């Protein structure tokens, strides 16, 4: 017989106990009675349901109070014991719990003296005109503290339509062809949710920005991967040598293919797709009636003599392409989280449906600041004073600095044509020190980066995380560094590398 001590229970639980006792008595009465058809039968059934509902709550509570140890707070016990009988998380979240960024941010924070070259963000100030635009947005018109139009702050959608319309060779309607989102990440998520249905196939070129796969899966789609591979006939020290095999790419298209995801300049490789490569992709999209989501957030960060080309400018591609951009990458303000997507109205209307039923609209002040930044750049576009000219020049110098430094200790950098990132071949390290700590199934680049953080004080990201599961072991001899950092950070990297170089001599 369970003994329930009411002195241990708060008044609310006393009421629940009394309710349970009353329900037991009522159930006994109901069980021993006979009822005719109609209302009375319904009342008896209702009472039985009341009993079982109450018992479902009370029985675990009684067990809890009987078995809990002296001195253990009741609330803590409840938190440990009362759990949902139903499945808690949605099935679309299965397999997505682990996030490598969370893991590596934690590692970097645990090693305070480590130089963080892993995450892709500038740690230097944005341009003065961007800071001033934001300050003005915050301290000027007080109405910028309120909601704006759901699909974008009108001055921003207007300047985006005007500015990119010229680049894309299209007459863009700010209301029909432009959607402002919470960063390019938000644009990607909205696009996948709007366009990808259960069973749709999505072709993803790898290495790929790691959110493409989970976003495809969460929308109910099936990711289909095709890998960029180094061509022996090209300069192996450049990301240009990583190319798509035309036959392999064509084989990935089926009647179920709905979308192809393109990322140029590519993260993590820094590859800038040439016009010939884009024409191959475009011809296959047209042939198989496939949409293209083109992630072009690094379009202003292109180096040497390379040129960024938007696939939407190729014949027949505007009508089937969504072009995604980012103010964070454009003006070195990743924390503002302002992105956009441009495309034909018949596709954009579906993105607006997702947007209006999820985010609804983005912070007004950040949008106002981005609009002002574009207004300034439009006036000096193409001139030497333009930020779009100065930024890639400055970042190219940082890229070259990092390449020289990494080579000094035996790394083999793959010079990027664009983006924030430098991929490095660590094959020599893999052959010399193959047995680094880690799980048996863990790709080598992950074990190497963790070892490097702990022992050499340098944070980088394993490139295998940018590959699908079956291909990770094939590309586990590359790691990614971010060179878009202030000079002090690069100098701290130099010091770590020089110390490492000195150790190699012994």
């Amino acid at each position: 017989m369970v003994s329930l001590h009411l002195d241990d229970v708060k008044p609310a639980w006393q009421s629940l106990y009394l309710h349970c006792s009353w329900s037991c008595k009522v159930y006994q009465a109901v069980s021993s009675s006979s009822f005719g058809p109609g209302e009375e039968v319904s009342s008896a059934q209702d009472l039985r349901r009341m009993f079982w509902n109450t018992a479902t709550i009370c029985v675990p509570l009684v067990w809890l109070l009987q078995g809990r140890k002296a001195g253990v707070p009741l609330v803590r016990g409840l938190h440990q014991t009362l759990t949902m009988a139903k499945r808690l998380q949605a099935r679309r979240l299965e397999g997505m719990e682990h996030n490598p960024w969370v893991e590596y941010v934690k590692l970097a924070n645990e090693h305070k003296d480590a130089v963080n070259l892993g995450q892709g963000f500038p740690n230097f100030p944005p341009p003065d005109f961007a800071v001033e635009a934001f300050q003005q947005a915050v301290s000027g018109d007080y109405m910028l503290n309120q909601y704006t139009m759901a699909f974008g702050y009108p001055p921003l959608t207007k300047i985006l339509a005007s500015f990119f319309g010229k680049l894309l060779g299209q007459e863009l309607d700010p209301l029909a062809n432009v959607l402002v989102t919470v960063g390019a990440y938000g644009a990607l998520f909205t696009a996948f949710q709007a366009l990808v249905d259960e069973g749709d196939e999505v072709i993803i070129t790898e290495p790929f920005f790691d959110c493409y796969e989970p976003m495809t899966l969460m929308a109910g789609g099936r990711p289909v991967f095709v890998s960029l591979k180094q061509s022996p006939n090209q300069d192996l020290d450049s990301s240009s040598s990583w190319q798509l095999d035309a036959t392999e790419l064509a084989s990935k298209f089926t009647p179920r293919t709905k979308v192809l995801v393109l990322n140029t300049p590519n993260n993590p490789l820094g590859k800038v797709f040439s016009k010939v490569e884009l024409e191959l992709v475009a011809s296959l999209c047209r042939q198989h009636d496939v949409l293209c989501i083109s992630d072009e957030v690094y379009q202003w960060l292109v180096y040497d003599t390379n040129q960024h080309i938007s696939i939407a400018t190729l014949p027949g591609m505007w009508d089937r392409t969504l072009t995604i951009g980012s103010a964070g990458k454009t003006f070195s303000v990743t924390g503002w989280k302002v992105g956009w997507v441009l495309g034909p109205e018949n596709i954009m209307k579906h993105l607006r449906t997702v947007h209006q039923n999820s985010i609804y609209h983005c912070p007004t002040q950040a949008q106002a600041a981005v609009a002002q930044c574009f207004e300034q750049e439009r006036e000096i576009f193409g001139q030497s004073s333009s930020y779009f000219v100065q930024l890639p020049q400055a970042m190219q110098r940082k890229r070259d600095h990092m390449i020289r430094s990494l080579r000094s200790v035996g790394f083999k950098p793959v010079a990027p044509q664009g983006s924030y990132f430098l991929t490095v071949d660590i094959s020599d390290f893999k052959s010399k020190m193959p047995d680094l700590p880690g799980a048996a199934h863990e790709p080598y680049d992950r074990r190497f980066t963790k070892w490097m953080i702990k022992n050499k004080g340098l944070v980088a990201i394993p490139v295998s995380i940018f590959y699908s599961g079956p291909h990770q072991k094939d590309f586990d001899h590359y790691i990614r560094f971010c060179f878009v950092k202030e000079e002090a950070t690069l100098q701290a990297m130099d010091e770590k590398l020089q110390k490492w170089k000195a150790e190699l001599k012994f």
Side-chain angles (χ1 to χ4, degrees):
M1 191 72 178
V2 175
S3 176
L4 183 66
H5 300 285
L6 293 181
D7 290 343
D8 293 337
V9 187
K10 294 181 179 180
W13 294 109
Q14 291 178 345
S15 299
L16 185 60
Y17 172 69
L18 294 174
H19 186 190
C20 184
S21 300
W22 175 83
S23 297
C24 291
K25 294 175 182 178
V26 170
Y27 179 71
Q28 291 172 352
V30 170
S31 300
S32 62
S33 301
S34 61
F35 292 86
E39 291 284 331
E40 293 180 342
V41 172
S42 176
S43 298
Q45 291 173 341
D46 288 344
L47 288 168
R48 288 190 181 96
R49 280 195 294 270
M50 182 188 298
F51 168 77
W52 288 116
N53 289 341
T54 306
T56 300
I57 297 172
C58 291
V59 170
L61 177 61
V62 171
W63 288 343
L64 171 67
L65 292 173
Q66 181 190 34
R68 74 185 181 96
K69 297 178 181 179
V72 176
L74 176 61
V75 173
R76 197 182 92 187
L78 286 170
H79 287 175
Q80 291 173 341
T81 305
L82 297 181
T83 57
M84 284 189 68
K86 297 178 181 178
R87 178 188 180 88
L88 189 58
Q89 83 277 20
R91 283 189 171 83
R92 61 180 171 271
L93 301 183
E94 286 182 351
M96 299 184 196
E97 296 87 354
H98 176 71
N99 185 300
W101 303 107
V102 174
E103 179 183 8
Y104 277 85
V105 168
K106 183 174 181 290
L107 272 173
N109 290 335
E110 288 173 353
H111 297 81
K112 299 296 185 182
D113 63 335
V115 180
N116 191 347
L117 304 169
Q119 285 180 281
F121 64 88
N123 66 347
F124 49 79
D128 291 342
F129 68 82
V131 175
E132 292 166 5
F134 196 86
Q135 290 173 339
Q136 182 179 344
V138 172
S139 60
D141 183 1
Y142 63 86
M143 286 305 295
L144 293 181
N145 291 289
Q146 309 307 325
Y147 296 130
T148 185
M149 298 292 288
F151 306 130
Y153 177 61
L156 178 56
T157 57
K158 183 178 179 181
I159 186 66
L160 289 173
S162 172
F163 193 92
F164 286 98
K166 293 177 181 177
L167 296 177
L168 296 173
Q170 299 290 329
E171 189 75 28
L172 300 188
D173 181 340
L175 298 178
N177 304 123
V178 181
L179 174 64
V180 178
T181 59
V182 181
Y185 218 88
L188 288 162
F189 185 80
T190 301
F192 281 103
Q193 288 295 313
L195 303 176
V196 178
D197 213 345
E198 291 287 339
D200 286 342
E201 293 180 352
V202 177
I203 296 176
I204 301 173
T205 58
E206 53 182 0
F208 57 88
F209 183 43
D210 64 299
C211 75
Y212 300 158
E213 182 180 13
M215 286 186 182
T216 298
L217 293 170
M218 289 181 71
R222 187 174 82 86
V224 176
F225 301 98
V226 56
S227 298
L228 291 161
K229 298 183 178 71
Q230 279 192 305
S231 171
N233 300 323
Q234 300 289 327
D235 180 6
L236 298 183
D237 293 334
S238 170
S239 61
S240 63
S241 66
W242 292 68
Q243 298 181 350
L244 288 169
D245 179 272
T247 303
E248 182 184 8
L249 177 62
S251 72
K252 302 297 181 179
F253 286 80
T254 75
R256 295 181 298 278
T257 305
K258 181 73 173 290
V259 173
L260 179 142
V261 183
L262 178 71
N263 179 208
T264 180
N266 171 272
N267 174 14
L269 200 54
K271 176 184 173 59
V272 175
F273 283 76
S274 68
K275 187 175 182 180
V276 171
E277 291 171 309
L278 294 176
E279 286 173 339
L280 168 64
V281 173
S283 67
L284 290 168
C285 287
R286 292 192 300 265
Q287 178 184 339
H288 296 276
D289 193 25
V290 168
L291 301 172
C292 179
I293 296 176
S294 188
D295 181 351
E296 302 181 13
V297 299
Y298 297 105
Q299 74 174 96
W300 304 111
L301 289 156
V302 177
Y303 312 124
D304 305 312
T305 58
N306 296 288
Q307 181 182 6
H308 171 76
I309 300 172
S310 292
I311 196 169
T313 63
L314 299 185
M317 287 305 292
W318 164 256
D319 292 332
R320 63 178 67 252
T321 300
L322 293 175
T323 304
I324 291 174
S326 161
K329 306 303 190 295
T330 300
F331 297 111
S332 304
V333 288
T334 58
W336 289 10
K337 291 298 290 182
V338 176
W340 54 84
V341 55
L342 314 171
E345 202 278 335
N346 67 311
I347 301 178
M348 294 293 293
K349 66 182 181 181
H350 302 300
L351 275 71
R352 290 196 294 270
T353 299
V354 173
H355 185 86
Q356 72 191 17
N357 290 293
S358 55
I359 300 302
Y360 189 71
H361 97 117
C362 307
T364 308
Q365 293 166 331
Q367 292 188 68
V370 174
Q372 186 60 41
C373 290
F374 270 111
E375 289 287 355
Q376 169 157 329
E377 281 301 299
R378 180 168 62 176
E379 298 299 320
I380 56 175
F381 184 68
Q383 300 178 26
S384 59
S385 57
S386 168
Y387 191 66
F388 297 163
V389 173
Q390 294 178 350
L391 179 64
Q393 291 175 347
M395 296 309 103
Q396 183 172 324
R397 290 192 291 271
K398 293 177 183 294
R399 178 201 68 175
D400 295 344
H401 176 159
M402 180 174 280
I403 287 174
R404 289 191 298 270
S405 295
L406 291 173
R407 280 178 176 161
S408 69
V409 296
F411 286 115
K412 296 178 180 177
V414 179
Q417 298 165 284
S419 85
Y420 280 179
F421 306 111
L422 175 66
T423 297
V424 174
D425 188 335
I426 57 170
S427 297
D428 289 348
F429 291 92
K430 186 177 181 180
S431 62
K432 293 176 182 177
M433 37 194 286
D435 300 320
L436 292 177
H441 65 278
E442 192 173 23
Y444 182 80
D445 58 346
R446 301 190 196 189
R447 289 183 281 137
F448 181 86
T449 48
K450 292 174 185 178
W451 171 85
M452 187 172 67
I453 293 169
K454 296 173 183 177
N455 294 277
K456 303 302 178 184
L458 292 169
V459 181
I461 301 295
V463 168
S464 65
I465 70 169
F466 301 101
Y467 281 88
S468 57
H471 295 159
Q472 289 182 358
K473 283 286 188 179
D474 298 330
F475 296 92
D476 72 345
H477 53 286
Y478 295 97
I479 61 176
R480 191 199 77 173
F481 290 95
C482 176
F483 55 84
V484 182
K485 302 296 180 184
E486 64 179 355
E487 287 304 311
T489 301
L490 296 179
Q491 290 172 7
M493 171 197 71
D494 289 341
E495 293 173 3
K496 299 283 188 183
L497 290 171
Q498 287 303 311
K499 182 179 179 182
W500 192 348
K501 183 179 179 180
E503 293 169 354
L504 293 174
K505 296 179 179 179
F506 294 96

